[in-house]
Amino acid sequence: MQKIIISIGLLLSCWLVRAQIGVNTTTPQAQLDIESSESGLLIPRVALTISTQSLPVTNPNSGNLVNSTLIYNTSNTNDVTPGFYYWLNDHWERINNEDNFWKTTGNAGTDENINFIGTTDNHDLRFHTNNILRATVHEDGRFSVNAMANPQSDDMFFVQGNTGDDAITGYTSDAIGVHGEDFDDGVGVLGRHSNGFGYGVYGQTLSGDGVGVYGREPSSEFNNNDGFAILAQGDLGWTGSTYNVSERKLKYDIKDMQNALQIIKQLKAKEYYYDTEKYKNLNLSSKKQYGFIAQEVKEVLPEITASKTLPNHSNIEEDDELATEEVLMMDYSRIIPILTKAMNEQQDIIESQEERIAKLEAQMQTLLTHQ
């Protein structure tokens, strides 16, 4: 009788192993179906040490852990925190709870030192709308907008506008719409035009007392003022007037100029051509020129000459180090007052000579009359 019971038990256990198992149910709906209205299922609780090591969990049949082996980690060390983990190939994969998801409806209680949107490896982060690439945060920190291909290597921020669209527009009130700044041998803002008639940089003011384009060189603050507020390496044209500040209240130690004619007589006018072959990157004119030699003018009028630094490179975007050329330049407009005074002095001489000639002619006429 005992043998019969044992045999029946063995047969029953084999049937139970191969069949679906139900706990608190006679109609299991899966391989294992547990029903309870007041109790839960306890998953094995294990203290992991790191996500890349299976221990202390082992395969009871030896060998590697089988994918989907499920445990609840109780430790908080290295890269593992308390929560459910399952084994995947060669590491423990955490089953995230809601606290670890970045919600599309907004998030609260974030820590800027821990929480972020991005990657933890050297891969780009890309943003799509309508399943089209719109922006990319590149793995090296560069950012591109609407650029299907990678931006140029030296562009930290790159925007490619569609035909007819503005690439970048800045609006503000009582501030700066677009700000560019360079601290060492570079360019704060670069504007470039390629084909047809257009503008590299366009500035416009919509008010009568505004400024379309403003450039400032703080020459009064530095002894070595070898820069420029605005520099044009090529023809400079305008359709309006040019004004130089000449307000009396801005001046002091005002005196009438003396001996202007003697100054002008020392200036040697020349005709010449620029050496465009040797200094081709300075974009000098190839036409015949009329003017002065700055070194000669400096001997007479050092105040209207200055040593300046000119860019001397072919491509401002491709040259790693911006080549420059030190040159002596002069302000031709400051000769105008000297010329004006020289003409006044010359006119005084002419009038004096005319008066003397008139007197001599009168004396001559008197002598002729009494003969």
Side-chain angles (χ1 to χ4, degrees):
M1 184 65 181
Q2 185 177 4
K3 292 182 178 179
I4 294 175
I5 294 175
I6 293 174
S7 299
I8 293 174
L10 290 172
L11 291 172
L12 182 59
S13 64
C14 291
W15 177 82
L16 289 173
V17 169
R18 294 179 178 275
Q20 295 172 326
I21 299 175
V23 177
N24 290 334
T25 178
T26 58
T27 57
Q29 302 298 310
Q31 190 66 34
L32 174 62
D33 188 350
I34 302 175
E35 288 192 7
S36 176
S37 60
E38 57 187 20
S39 299
L41 174 66
L42 278 178
I43 300 298
R45 287 144 288 176
V46 178
L48 298 177
T49 57
I50 193 169
S51 65
T52 55
Q53 182 175 314
S54 62
L55 295 176
V57 182
T58 60
N59 187 334
N61 292 320
S62 71
N64 296 328
L65 287 184
V66 178
N67 282 349
S68 79
T69 299
L70 179 66
I71 58 97
Y72 180 87
N73 172 53
T74 59
S75 66
N76 191 343
T77 181
N78 292 320
D79 61 344
V80 294
T81 57
F84 290 100
Y85 284 79
Y86 65 94
W87 185 256
L88 179 63
N89 297 326
D90 57 359
H91 68 281
W92 290 105
E93 188 78 15
R94 195 180 196 281
I95 300 177
N96 288 321
N97 54 39
E98 188 175 282
D99 292 337
N100 291 322
F101 287 124
W102 196 267
K103 302 175 184 177
T104 59
T105 55
N107 299 271
T110 59
D111 184 343
E112 65 274 12
N113 296 313
I114 299 176
N115 306 117
F116 64 91
I117 296 176
T119 63
T120 57
D121 53 16
N122 60 344
H123 287 78
D124 297 346
L125 174 64
R126 296 192 171 186
F127 298 89
H128 291 242
T129 62
N130 198 25
N131 202 30
I132 298 175
L133 176 63
R134 302 300 187 185
T136 302
V137 180
H138 298 265
E139 54 87 18
D140 59 359
R142 293 175 296 121
F143 188 82
S144 61
V145 178
N146 203 35
M148 301 307 295
N150 290 335
Q152 299 181 31
S153 60
D154 58 350
D155 291 330
M156 289 304 298
F157 181 66
F158 177 85
V159 179
Q160 181 173 335
N162 297 320
T163 301
D165 292 339
D166 295 332
I168 297 177
T169 301
Y171 292 102
T172 187
S173 177
D174 295 329
I176 298 174
V178 177
H179 175 76
E181 187 171 350
D182 173 72
F183 290 100
D184 185 21
D185 295 335
V187 178
V189 175
L190 171 66
R192 183 179 64 184
H193 173 71
S194 299
N195 300 309
F197 181 81
Y199 309 93
V201 174
Y202 178 81
Q204 180 183 19
T205 177
L206 301 180
S207 65
D209 57 353
V211 178
V213 176
Y214 173 76
R216 181 175 185 269
E217 181 217 4
S219 58
S220 60
E221 301 176 20
F222 299 93
N223 293 326
N224 185 22
N225 55 327
D226 57 353
F228 301 89
I230 295 177
L231 172 64
Q233 285 186 279
D235 293 340
L236 180 64
W238 61 90
T239 59
S241 301
T242 58
Y243 295 90
N244 191 8
V245 62
S246 190
E247 169 66 46
R248 175 181 288 273
K249 68 181 181 182
L250 302 178
K251 306 173 184 180
Y252 73 97
D253 195 20
I254 301 174
K255 301 176 182 178
D256 288 336
M257 188 180 300
Q258 303 295 328
N259 303 317
L261 188 58
Q262 293 300 319
I263 295 174
I264 293 301
K265 289 173 63 176
Q266 296 180 67
L267 299 180
K268 309 298 182 182
K270 310 287 185 181
E271 61 179 46
Y272 53 88
Y273 290 91
Y274 286 120
D275 191 344
T276 56
E277 182 63 29
K278 184 177 180 180
Y279 300 103
K280 57 183 178 181
N281 291 332
L282 293 181
N283 201 28
L284 299 169
S285 173
S286 60
K287 299 178 181 179
K288 187 176 183 178
Q289 304 293 314
Y290 302 93
F292 303 98
I293 304 301
Q295 284 77 6
E296 295 179 356
V297 174
K298 186 176 180 179
E299 296 296 324
V300 182
L301 296 168
E303 298 86 358
I304 70 172
T305 65
S307 178
K308 293 287 186 177
T309 302
L310 292 178
N312 187 22
H313 44 77
S314 58
N315 192 319
I316 198 169
E317 294 182 273
E318 296 179 357
D319 295 343
D320 293 332
E321 295 185 5
L322 301 183
T324 58
E325 188 70 32
E326 298 292 332
V327 297
L328 188 64
M329 304 182 73
M330 61 172 290
D331 185 356
Y332 277 80
S333 66
R334 294 173 68 181
I335 297 182
I336 295 176
I338 304 176
L339 286 172
T340 302
K341 179 61 176 176
M343 292 176 64
N344 291 335
E345 293 177 355
Q346 189 176 55
Q347 185 62 32
D348 290 341
I349 294 173
I350 292 173
E351 291 178 356
S352 176
Q353 289 176 342
E354 288 179 345
E355 183 179 352
R356 182 180 179 185
I357 291 172
K359 289 181 179 180
L360 291 174
E361 288 178 343
Q363 293 175 0
M364 180 64 71
Q365 186 63 35
T366 300
L367 292 173
L368 292 176
T369 302
H370 290 84
Q371 284 183 353

